[in-house]
Amino acid sequence: MKQNESIGCTVEQCEHHAKDNNYCTLNKIEVGTHETNPTMPECTDCNSFKKCNH
Ligand code: SF4
């Protein structure tokens, strides 16, 4: 899988994670929030996350 060096990511449980390195392999991701008024990093989410099945 080709990693996208513009998208660093440490979520190894995601299907799109590069595994060997801390990068995402997608060309583009969608970031969103689950809060009404986000105030810190924890308020944001990667909406392109997909659970890894292996
Ligand atoms: S889709 Fe989101 S959570 Fe998954 S590897 Fe890419 S940046 Fe990380």
Side-chain angles (χ1 to χ4, degrees):
M1 275 195 291
K2 175 127 174 56
Q3 67 194 35
N4 181 343
E5 293 185 6
S6 296
I7 308 177
C9 180
T10 58
V11 187
E12 294 174 21
Q13 296 83 356
C14 178
E15 180 85 35
H16 305 300
H17 190 265
K19 312 304 175 195
D20 295 336
N21 299 301
N22 283 329
Y23 288 102
C24 181
T25 56
L26 296 178
N27 292 327
K28 176 206 168 197
I29 60 165
E30 188 77 21
V31 175
T33 182
H34 51 272
E35 304 280 350
T36 311
N37 294 300
T39 55
M40 53 188 171
E42 288 81 357
C43 299
T44 63
D45 309 292
C46 176
N47 290 333
S48 300
F49 173 85
K50 190 178 167 209
K51 187 178 177 297
C52 192
N53 290 317
H54 45 78

